[in-house]
């Protein structure tokens, strides 16, 4: 995830800075050959932060939309990133506030959780959890459905229904034990300091996650 954030945000800011430079040069009336363009008066540039150092670049607001982002750690779909009070320094990037909204596919989330867990959409905004466990000396496939929430920065799935594929009496007798096996409390790994999961919901393609942070620092 850290690689994902660094590549995503740094790449976007590089493009934004480049485009801004092109626009400023093209609009400079003092440039030889430039032709003033009629139109509404341009808005004045905002004042930079008083602590902006020489060589640093400050961006008031940055927005990015990407259909997919792929790294060695996994993939994300339908990414939307917004940053405020962002500055690029010689040591990396710092954002006053940063929000990322992206879909984490079920298979990618399952690999992060591990333990042989399979995750899927169970309908009605709920997630399904499937895994094989040893109960009473035999291998049993456990299936559960539950509501997904962001709790304390973690992705949490608490089962509301549990099915062992056997008699209801057996399901009831082992319910407490089985519920622990299919309860998911997962911390999104690799986030830079200041970023955390604040909201998550289930879609057909995976978990639609919102990550928020303040004072986020990303170094190369």
């Amino acid at each position: 995830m850290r690689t994902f954030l660094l590549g995503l945000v740094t790449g976007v800011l590089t493009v934004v800075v480049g485009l801004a430079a092109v626009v400023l040069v093209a609009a400079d009336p003092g440039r030889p050959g430039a032709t003033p363009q009629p139109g509404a008066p341009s808005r004045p540039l905002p004042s930079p932060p008083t602590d902006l150092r020489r060589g640093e670049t400050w961006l008031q607001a940055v927005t990015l939309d990407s259909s997919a982002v792929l790294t060695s750690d996994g993939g994300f779909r339908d990414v939307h990133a917004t940053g405020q009070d962002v500055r690029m320094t010689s040591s990396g990037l710092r954002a006053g506030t940063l929000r990322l909204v992206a879909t984490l596919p079920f298979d990618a989330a399952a690999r992060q959780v591990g333990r042989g867990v399979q995750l899927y959409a169970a309908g009605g905004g709920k997630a399904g959890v499937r895994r094989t466990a040893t109960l009473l000396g035999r291998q049993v496939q456990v299936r559960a459905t539950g509501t997904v929430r962001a709790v304390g920065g973690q992705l949490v799935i608490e089962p509301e229904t549990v099915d062992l594929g056997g008699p209801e009496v057996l399901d009831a007798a082992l319910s407490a034990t089985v519920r622990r096996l299919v309860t998911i409390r997962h911390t999104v790994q690799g986030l830079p300091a200041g970023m955390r999961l604040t909201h998550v919901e289930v879609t057909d393609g995976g978990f639609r996650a919102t990550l928020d942070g303040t004072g986020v620092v990303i170094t190369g």
Side-chain angles (χ1 to χ4, degrees), residues 184-206:
I184 306 296
R185 296 182 182 276
H186 177 62
T187 300
V188 179
Q189 302 172 359
L191 291 174
M195 291 291 294
R196 64 184 312 192
L197 182 73
T198 56
H199 180 75
V200 63
E201 58 186 46
V202 178
T203 68
D204 290 340

Side-chain angles (χ1 to χ4, degrees), residues 45-207:
L45 288 172
S47 299
T50 57
D51 60 343
L52 188 68
R53 299 179 180 178
R54 179 177 292 275
E56 294 183 346
T57 300
W58 179 75
L59 296 98
Q60 186 176 45
V62 177
T63 301
L64 165 74
D65 290 302
S66 178
S67 59
V69 175
L70 302 177
T71 74
S72 59
D73 299 323
F76 296 81
R77 298 195 188 103
D78 302 325
V79 179
H80 179 73
T82 55
Q84 300 284 336
D85 186 21
V86 179
R87 68 178 69 191
M88 300 175 67
T89 72
S90 59
S91 59
L93 179 150
R94 184 166 78 248
T97 63
L98 180 63
R99 166 167 287 192
L100 295 172
V101 182
T103 297
L104 177 63
F106 292 118
D107 57 349
R111 285 195 297 271
Q112 290 185 18
V113 173
R115 297 180 294 165
V117 166
Q118 294 178 307
L119 302 170
Y120 55 94
K126 300 182 185 299
V129 182
R130 184 187 299 115
R131 67 171 300 193
T132 300
T134 302
L135 298 171
L136 301 179
R138 65 172 186 167
Q139 293 287 103
V140 178
Q141 187 176 78
V142 183
R143 294 182 297 275
T145 62
T147 301
V148 182
R149 297 180 296 150
V151 180
Q154 290 187 309
L155 187 154
V156 175
I157 304 176
E158 295 181 340
E160 298 173 357
T161 65
V162 178
D163 179 17
L164 296 177
E168 293 184 5
V169 175
L170 178 63
D171 289 0
L174 296 175
S175 178
T177 299
V178 173
R179 284 178 63 87
R180 287 194 293 271
L181 293 175
V182 288
T183 296
I184 306 296
R185 296 182 182 276
H186 177 62
T187 300
V188 179
Q189 302 172 359
L191 291 174
M195 291 291 294
R196 64 184 312 192
L197 182 73
T198 56
H199 180 75
V200 63
E201 58 186 46
V202 178
T203 68
D204 290 340
F207 298 106

